[in-house]
Amino acid sequence: MSAARIAVVLRPEQSPEDLVRHAGYADEVGIDEVWLWEDCFFGGGIATAATVLAETTRLGVAIGVLPTPMRNTAITAMEISALGRVHPDRLRVGFGHGVQSWMRQIGAKVESPLTLLREQFGALERLLRGESVTVSGRYVNLTDVKLAWPPEKVPQLLVGATGPKTLALSGELAQGTVLSGGTTPEGVRRAIAHIGAQDLEVVVYVICAFGSSGRERALAEAAASGCESPEEAIAVGTAADVAAAAVRWVDAGATTVVLQPTVDEPDVREFIRLVAQEVQPLMV
């Protein structure tokens, strides 16, 4: 089988305390990486990531993604820098437009999300490299801002994207792209064509469920995501079935396959154990 990084989502529908406990279990049983969502109005992405990193020892932690309209550029750089210094080589961070209805709900919706993402991502990357940054943009304005404690190594910065323009921007600016659950293998191929750049990280969420009732739950979630081909967007069945399905996304160009339990997953710990001990070994 093709080699790829296999990760799991710790969904924000779990309470923050349960999520941290599940992360500790994932660390114990050998999951390589967990992904966290900053969805309105659950736990904050930076706070949750900081707690998970502090409560685990080897686990990679990725935030996919932080909505740029919700975040001040300087504060975000300060937070990521602190995490990067304390937990080197364990953090990856994605940025995106945010769900537009939520951005409107909190008074943060902007006229041009693409412009905001470009401005914020560019300034943030420079700040994390330790530069003194002065920019006067449509949305981001900084004057002689320089981090006192930039990270010794900048964490990998990604862009969450779906539309062609944002996919192309991710290829231009970021070290990789995050594709949402409901993306089929063919959708990964189309996305990579829009991204344009070569040798970048391509992360894809794959809706996943184990056991006899798993297919029904996964199909329902894929359909709810607006996926046109739910059967092509899920990995279900036994651990061997899930591993074989994950290879379809790897062969399409994904470098990280993030297995996404359904919102009604009945046993999150068992889901984590199966991925760690039975799926991951089949993906080498």
Side-chain angles (χ1 to χ4, degrees), residues 10-12 15-17 19-21 23-24 33-39 42-66 71 76 79-84 86-88 90-95 155:
L10 297 180
R11 298 185 64 129
S15 69
E17 57 271 27
L19 190 150
V20 172
R21 282 194 288 267
E33 184 177 62
V34 296
W35 281 72
L36 309 172
W37 296 348
E38 184 165 77
D39 280 2
F42 299 99
I46 294 290
T48 305
T51 306
V52 168
L53 285 163
E55 293 294 323
T56 56
T57 58
R58 43 151 293 278
L59 187 70
V61 176
I63 308 173
V65 296
L66 297 176
R71 300 198 150 268
T76 303
E79 292 175 329
I80 292 174
S81 180
L83 291 182
V86 176
H87 306 283
R90 291 183 60 200
L91 178 69
R92 298 200 280 175
V93 186
F95 299 86

Side-chain angles (χ1 to χ4, degrees), residues 256-271:
T256 298
V257 175
V258 187
L259 297 177
Q260 174 182 319
T262 61
V263 69
D264 55 352
E265 167 58 50
D267 192 337
V268 174
R269 285 173 69 91
E270 178 63 4
F271 183 96

Side-chain angles (χ1 to χ4, degrees), residues 5 33 35 61-66 80 83-84 87-95 121 124-125 128 151 153-160 173-178 199-203 255-256:
R5 179 181 292 185
E33 184 177 62
W35 281 72
V61 176
I63 308 173
V65 296
L66 297 176
I80 292 174
L83 291 182
H87 306 283
D89 297 317
R90 291 183 60 200
L91 178 69
R92 298 200 280 175
V93 186
F95 299 86
F121 194 98
L124 182 72
E125 189 174 43
L128 291 172
K153 180 180 178 182
V154 178
Q156 188 179 73
L157 304 179
L158 311 167
V159 165
L173 296 181
Q175 294 170 286
T177 306
V178 182
D199 300 323
L200 294 182
E201 180 80 11
V202 178
V203 179
T255 55
T256 298

Side-chain angles (χ1 to χ4, degrees), residues 59-276:
L59 187 70
V61 176
I63 308 173
V65 296
L66 297 176
T68 53
M70 294 176 64
R71 300 198 150 268
N72 175 274
T73 304
I75 292 174
T76 303
M78 291 160 60
E79 292 175 329
I80 292 174
S81 180
L83 291 182
R85 289 184 67 92
V86 176
H87 306 283
D89 297 317
R90 291 183 60 200
L91 178 69
R92 298 200 280 175
V93 186
F95 299 86
H97 299 315
V99 176
Q100 293 305 292
S101 61
W102 287 340
M103 298 304 99
R104 185 181 300 108
Q105 187 177 0
I106 64 174
K109 190 176 185 302
V110 297
E111 185 176 347
S112 177
L114 200 68
T115 300
L116 171 59
L117 181 58
R118 176 185 291 278
E119 290 181 358
Q120 187 172 121
F121 194 98
L124 182 72
E125 189 174 43
R126 292 176 61 196
L127 287 168
L128 291 172
R129 289 201 302 261
E131 297 181 22
S132 177
V133 179
T134 296
V135 295
S136 179
R138 183 174 179 180
Y139 299 110
V140 176
N141 292 275
L142 302 170
T143 303
D144 298 328
V145 176
K146 184 176 182 179
L147 296 179
W149 296 105
E152 295 184 8
K153 180 180 178 182
V154 178
Q156 188 179 73
L157 304 179
L158 311 167
V159 165
T162 54
K165 292 181 179 180
T166 309
L167 288 166
L169 186 67
S170 75
E172 176 187 343
L173 296 181
Q175 294 170 286
T177 306
V178 182
L179 305 176
S180 62
T183 302
T184 65
E186 183 55 35
V188 170
R189 293 185 180 92
R190 291 196 300 267
I192 290 172
H194 288 297
I195 293 166
Q198 301 295 316
D199 300 323
L200 294 182
E201 180 80 11
V202 178
V203 179
V204 61
Y205 290 111
V206 174
I207 299 165
C208 177
F210 297 97
S212 57
S213 67
R215 178 174 295 277
E216 182 179 351
R217 290 187 288 110
L219 284 173
E221 187 145 315
S225 75
C227 175
E228 294 181 0
S229 304
E231 285 280 0
E232 297 297 312
I234 61 175
V236 296
T238 66
D241 293 333
V242 168
V247 170
R248 296 168 48 229
W249 280 270
V250 177
D251 288 346
T255 55
T256 298
V257 175
V258 187
L259 297 177
Q260 174 182 319
T262 61
V263 69
D264 55 352
E265 167 58 50
D267 192 337
V268 174
R269 285 173 69 91
E270 178 63 4
F271 183 96
I272 291 169
R273 187 197 68 79
L274 285 167
V275 174

